[in-house]
């Protein structure tokens, strides 16, 4: 493009025209053509008009730029028409609710993640016309990105290369559609060596899932030239399909120059049964605990005696033990905790008299160190995904100590019902996540029935969706009890939000009775019953809308509400 701002407008550059206009034609006469009888000021304005048109439209002919290559094809099926319209509505309403009071209408902003997950499970692709809005939504909400980019497929990467606003897609999850066909080793190798980071991560994840050995080979082929943060990411991908075949590579990673890489390699090896590191850690950990007979005053039974390590040698540091303790923590207790959580849990049965996990957990620990030892075993159970140990350490829900009901249900909860001892640091939600899905729901339902909702928020978050009938009933009953007590529903907004996302949609008709307003309790908060009625109306409406969304994605007729009217995409807006 030429610099038209500097070209002459009927004889005078643009700058001269501006100067003449500011000073006046009486003081400065510009070099512009003038018609017979025309005043200088009019001639100046004519010249400025012509120059303005040239400035706005003047282009110097140039060769056309190369057109971008078409987006790669996406072979996945298109969305059913009703589901496509629903996605358009959800994306148009993604501004969300503002203010403290949400009202009785379903929150479409919270339904978008569920819709994306359900569409992804069915293997659909996003409509091309909605890709820009989908990328805008993913740009605004990082929690949407994995599902949104997976649904968008190769179109997201193609658009991201043309618009800087969507560059995040090049760093995110590119989706399976961008991965070379299985068996095309040359294309896979080229993508691994030359592709974008997002494409490499997607390739590695897919390869590791289909052929763990081939995935490990990809990592090893460029390991020495990768950045530390990339090595850490690639090493973490070995969690899926971890086996003894990975041990030699992980042993070498114990000597990596990055401390985070070394720590991750040690963590993976400690979760690998029969690994040399696990054997070394078992020897160190079992040397720290022993069984002794208690005195007569303690009943004379066996008691676990703790002897923390007296030093942290080079071998321990290479195997992942951090020598320097954090502030406020004793060094020996710090080393002990790391050894106990890294040692294989199956080593304790033989060392502690052939007992099983429940019997070992029931043993008393001398000198008040029970919490310290059990917390480390909890972390080991989570790391090693040991169901028997997790079950033993959790205990029964009815045994959990009552906790103050004033704790907000959405507050961070590092300690839960399993952490009844003062000073415990165990994460009950993570421990619960080791149990089978059905067992988690049963455990949490019993806990809520015994202790209410004050500590249930994070526990509910690890339960399978949709919730089992027993868990859903326990949550709704607890909410109804809180309503009868006259509490404001805002105190339970976290649990209510989870219920909207996780309750089985089939429960909507059963909950209709809770939407009616009742009598205000004498000692309750003023107006609370009206807010509760609103919250339950929103819950029921959300469940019905979720049922409609799933029917649309399945290409089925939309279900009817309790009054018999269909929930159409238009009605949901």
């Amino acid at each position: 493009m030429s610099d038209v701002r500097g070209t002459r407008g009927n004889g005078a550059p643009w700058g001269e025209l501006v100067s003449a206009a500011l000073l006046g034609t009486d003081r400065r006469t510009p070099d512009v053509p003038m018609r017979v009888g025309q005043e200088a000021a009019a001639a100046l304005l004519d010249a400025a008009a012509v120059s303005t048109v040239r400035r706005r439209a003047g282009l110097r002919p140039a060769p056309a730029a190369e057109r971008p290559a078409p987006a790669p094809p996406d072979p996945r099926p298109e969305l059913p028409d009703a589901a496509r319209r629903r996605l358009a509505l959800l994306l148009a309403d993604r501004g969300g609710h503002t203010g403290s009071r949400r009202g009785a209408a379903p929150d479409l902003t919270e339904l978008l993640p569920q819709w994306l997950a359900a569409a992804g499970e069915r293997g659909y692709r996003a409509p091309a016309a909605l890709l820009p809005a989908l990328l805008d939504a993913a740009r605004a909400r990082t929690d949407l990105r994995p599902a949104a980019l997976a649904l968008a497929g190769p179109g997201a990467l193609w658009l991201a290369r043309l618009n800087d606003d969507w560059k995040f897609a090049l760093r995110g999850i590119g989706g399976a559609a961008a991965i070379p066909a299985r068996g095309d080793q040359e294309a896979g190798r080229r993508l691994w060596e030359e592709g974008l980071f997002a494409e490499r991560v997607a390739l590695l994840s897919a390869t590791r899932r289909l052929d763990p050995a081939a995935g490990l080979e990809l990592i090893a082929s460029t390991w020495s030239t990768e950045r530390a943060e990339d090595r850490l990411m690639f090493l973490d991908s070995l969690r899926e399909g971890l086996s003894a075949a990975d041990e030699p590579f992980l042993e070498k990673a114990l000597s990596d120059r990055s401390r985070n890489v070394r720590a991750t390699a040690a963590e993976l090896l400690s979760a690998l049964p029969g690994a040399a590191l696990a054997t070394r850690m078992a020897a160190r950990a079992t040397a720290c605990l022993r069984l002794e007979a208690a005195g007569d005053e303690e009943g004379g039974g066996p008691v676990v005696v703790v002897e923390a390590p007296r030093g942290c040698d080079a071998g321990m540091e290479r195997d992942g033990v951090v020598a320097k303790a954090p502030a406020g923590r004793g060094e020996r207790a710090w080393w002990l905790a790391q050894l106990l959580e890294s040692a294989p849990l199956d080593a304790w049965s033989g060392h502690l008299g052939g007992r099983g996990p429940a019997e070992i957990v029931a043993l008393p620990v001398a000198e008040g160190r029970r919490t310290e030892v059990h917390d480390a075993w909890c972390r080991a159970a989570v790391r090693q995904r040991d169901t028997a140990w997790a079950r033993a350490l959790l205990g029964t829900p009815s045994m959990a100590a009552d906790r103050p009901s004033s704790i907000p249900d959405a507050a961070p909860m590092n300690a839960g019902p399993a952490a009844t001892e003062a000073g415990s640091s165990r994460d009950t939600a993570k421990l619960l996540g080791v149990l089978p899905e059905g067992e988690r729901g049963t455990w949490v339902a019993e806990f809520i029935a015994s202790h209410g909702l004050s500590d249930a928020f994070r526990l509910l978050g690890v339960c399978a969706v949709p919730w089992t009938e027993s868990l859903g009933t326990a949550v709704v009953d607890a909410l109804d009890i809180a309503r009868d007590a006259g509490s404001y529903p805002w105190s339970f907004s976290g649990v209510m939000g989870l219920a909207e996302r996780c309750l089985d949609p089939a429960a909507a008709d059963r909950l209709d009775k809770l939407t009616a307003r009742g009598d205000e309790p004498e000692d309750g908060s003023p107006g609370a019953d009206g807010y509760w009625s609103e919250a339950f109306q929103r819950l029921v409406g959300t469940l019905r809308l979720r049922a409609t969304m799933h029917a649309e994605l399945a290409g089925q007729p939309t279900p009817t509400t309790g009054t018999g009217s269909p929930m159409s995409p238009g009605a949901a807006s």
Side-chain angles (χ1 to χ4, degrees), residues 111-123 144 147-148 151 550 553:
L111 286 172
L112 180 57
Q114 298 180 58
W115 189 97
L116 291 172
E121 290 172 1
R122 293 182 177 275
L144 295 179
L151 185 73
H550 283 282
L553 286 167

Side-chain angles (χ1 to χ4, degrees), residues 308-309 325 329-340 369 372 379:
R329 186 83 178 269
E331 280 188 336
R332 296 184 63 191
W334 171 243
W335 300 330
L336 172 69
Q338 294 179 81
L339 294 181
L340 294 181
R369 306 189 74 167
E372 178 184 1
R379 293 190 292 272

Side-chain angles (χ1 to χ4, degrees), residues 135-136 138-139 145 149 160 164-172:
L135 285 170
D136 282 340
R139 180 192 180 199
R145 289 182 183 178
L149 294 180
D164 286 345
D165 288 344
W166 301 327
K167 284 194 299 185
F168 68 87
L170 303 178
R171 302 188 298 269

